[in-house]
Amino acid sequence: MTLLRDGEHLTGSYFYPKVGKNIALSGTIDKDGNVSISESDDSGKQTGVFKREVEAATDSPDPPERDRWQVVAADGSKELRFWCRSSRWNSPAPMRFAPKVIKEANKEKHYTVDAVYPQIEGDARFDKFNREARSLITKDVAAFKTAETVEPTSTDNVLADEARDRV
């Protein structure tokens, strides 16, 4: 999720893997940090609402805030409530967490690949993390594709025949 704040106004987007694209956000934040954000589809129709109420924790000398979040579908049909604790972290550069997607399909081999992995953009200190995350997922995808392209052995054929005979 990326949010930009201009006074009390918030704008931004978040990536939802099921939808496969960024979803627009706009909203407000008050002086106490309470947030109300609407999500919209490409036509501008509201599809959901995020609300955050902040409650200062008092169990330590420098307490993090305790956040109560509520996410509601625009038509009210779905609702999710949860609590989280947040700490402030200021980066020397604007950065965002960007999910990267690998989607591949091979009709001949009857497989699809739909993988999502994290990347941190905007701060060179995370370049090594980005390379490692990308390397891990691309190795796994390559291994999967290799396993799917290996010709079945005669033992595999016998097992498949036995399974088919039981049906």
Side-chain angles (χ1 to χ4, degrees):
M1 180 182 286
T2 302
L3 287 174
L4 299 173
R5 182 176 179 176
D6 183 12
E8 293 181 355
H9 301 285
L10 299 171
T11 57
S13 64
Y14 76 99
F15 185 84
Y16 187 42
K18 186 176 179 180
V19 175
K21 60 184 173 182
N22 282 320
I23 298 172
L25 300 171
S26 65
T28 59
I29 183 168
D30 68 18
K31 63 179 176 51
D32 297 322
N34 298 311
V35 173
S36 179
I37 302 171
S38 297
E39 69 173 42
S40 304
D41 63 17
D42 290 339
S43 71
K45 178 183 172 192
Q46 182 180 357
T47 55
V49 177
F50 294 82
K51 291 190 178 198
R52 170 190 180 220
E53 293 179 6
V54 178
E55 187 179 288
T58 57
D59 53 355
S60 72
D62 186 21
E65 295 172 336
R66 190 168 121 165
D67 300 351
R68 181 174 58 191
W69 282 90
Q70 176 183 20
V71 182
V72 181
D75 64 3
S77 64
K78 297 177 188 174
E79 180 177 337
L80 172 66
R81 294 174 187 251
F82 58 94
W83 289 90
C84 65
R85 292 196 183 268
S86 63
S87 298
R88 302 222 188 281
W89 181 64
N90 293 320
S91 170
M95 46 185 256
R96 71 182 208 112
F97 295 89
K100 298 296 181 180
V101 178
I102 298 174
K103 286 188 179 225
E104 296 180 22
N106 186 320
K107 290 182 182 180
E108 182 180 307
K109 303 287 184 185
H110 303 288
Y111 73 77
T112 59
V113 173
D114 190 0
V116 180
Y117 63 95
Q119 295 287 269
I120 303 172
E121 298 176 344
D123 190 330
R125 295 177 299 166
F126 294 99
D127 288 350
K128 183 176 179 183
F129 168 85
N130 291 337
R131 282 191 305 275
E132 290 293 322
R134 183 173 41 255
S135 176
L136 286 170
I137 196 71
T138 54
K139 284 179 187 175
D140 283 351
V141 168
F144 171 80
K145 289 168 43 177
T146 299
E148 291 300 310
T149 59
V150 172
E151 292 298 319
T153 64
S154 60
T155 305
D156 292 335
N157 289 335
V158 169
L159 293 173
D161 289 341
E162 288 175 3
R164 190 174 30 255
D165 290 342
R166 281 183 263 167
V167 175

